[in-house]
Amino acid sequence: FVTNEQKKWQGALLLKREVDTAGRRMDIETSWKVQRWCHRIVVHPSFDLAINFCIVLNVIVMASEYEGQSAGHSRIIKDSNIVFTSIFVVEALTKICGLTWQHYWEDGWNRFDLFILGGPILAEIATVISWLGVFRMFRIVRLFKLVKSVRGLRALVMTALAAIPAIYNVGTLLLLLFYVYAILGMSLFENLEPTRFTDFTNMGNSMLTLFAVFTGNWIFVLAD
């Protein structure tokens, strides 16, 4: 489902990223032994493989949770989440130390990793503070870290990001059409008595009615 032009664009973006990464590797020169050690770890191919293995293993552990599980099973899952969160924190710190903060932040995927890392940290805090329980769902976002490692998924995400301006234009056109048809509905059906799903008494309700029709709920509007 990808055109030749999109394939060329994907290839250009991937090539740019590889060149930038190689440039960062060559530019990092330091006499600090710990930083050189962290840098060798980060650029080693086995480092990403180990992180991906931890991600998959963490997802499997989370998937093993079920209603009515024993206290021991719940404890294992809780401890596992703490261990995996700690691993991902160490990963981020190792990259920052090995690449330096400037080079680390220049890579958009690293910024994405930091954003993903914030969810599990909030989830662990939520286990202590009850009113933050809604953040527990953010543990599952760790799975999105695999996008960076899978070449096909990475290219697809980059293509989707590049298409955002065009999507914005399409959305603006749809909003304009909604506006026109909402005014038309108010003119034609203003005297109809409002029902559960049909209401053209004002602009807001007209837009909501059109949205219901647009999203496939036209049968309820037709029944009213």
Side-chain angles (χ1 to χ4, degrees):
F1 300 103
V2 180
T3 64
N4 292 330
E5 290 75 11
Q6 290 174 331
K7 290 181 179 179
K8 292 179 180 179
W9 175 249
Q10 292 175 358
L13 291 177
L14 292 175
L15 179 62
K16 180 180 181 300
R17 183 175 183 273
E18 293 174 358
V19 170
D20 291 342
T21 302
R24 283 194 290 271
R25 292 177 181 177
M26 292 184 294
D27 290 342
I28 296 176
E29 296 179 358
T30 177
S31 58
W32 190 23
K33 184 177 180 179
V34 175
Q35 190 169 12
R36 291 200 305 269
W37 181 70
C38 290
H39 183 260
R40 285 195 296 268
I41 292 177
V42 169
V43 299
H44 198 280
S46 299
F47 181 77
D48 287 335
L49 290 177
I51 295 300
N52 291 337
F53 176 77
C54 291
I55 295 172
V56 174
L57 188 60
N58 185 206
V59 172
I60 293 175
V61 171
M62 288 189 295
S64 67
E65 188 173 0
Y66 60 91
E67 183 68 24
Q69 62 189 10
S70 63
H73 189 76
S74 300
R75 182 65 183 179
I76 292 175
I77 293 178
K78 180 180 179 180
D79 293 342
S80 299
N81 284 323
I82 295 176
V83 170
F84 286 118
T85 300
S86 301
I87 291 174
F88 298 136
V89 170
V90 171
E91 174 207 4
L93 294 177
T94 304
K95 286 185 176 181
I96 292 173
C97 179
L99 301 176
T100 72
W101 172 256
Q102 179 182 357
H103 291 94
Y104 178 85
W105 190 252
E106 286 176 354
D107 192 335
W109 288 108
N110 289 333
R111 296 195 295 270
F112 179 74
D113 279 347
L114 281 182
F115 172 76
I116 294 298
L117 183 60
I121 292 177
L122 288 176
E124 298 305 327
I125 296 175
T127 60
V128 180
I129 305 176
S130 58
W131 61 271
L132 288 177
V134 66
F135 289 105
R136 294 175 186 173
M137 71 179 72
F138 282 103
R139 290 171 179 162
I140 197 62
V141 300
R142 289 171 178 164
L143 185 61
F144 290 101
K145 288 171 66 68
L146 291 175
V147 174
K148 181 180 65 175
S149 303
V150 181
R151 185 182 181 91
L153 288 178
R154 187 170 68 245
L156 183 62
V157 170
M158 296 174 71
T159 302
L161 292 176
I164 287 179
I167 295 175
Y168 170 78
N169 294 331
V170 173
T172 303
L173 178 61
L174 288 177
L175 182 61
L176 180 61
L177 290 176
F178 267 56
Y179 181 78
V180 171
Y181 281 105
I183 294 177
L184 183 61
M186 291 172 61
S187 301
L188 296 177
F189 308 115
E190 60 179 349
N191 295 324
L192 292 180
E193 182 179 355
T195 61
R196 292 181 302 165
F197 302 100
T198 306
D199 188 354
F200 289 95
T201 56
N202 55 60
M203 177 60 68
N205 292 338
S206 298
M207 296 283 281
L208 290 176
T209 301
L210 289 174
F211 182 78
V213 175
F214 185 77
T215 53
N217 294 316
W218 59 269
I219 187 66
F220 300 105
V221 178
L222 181 62
D224 283 341

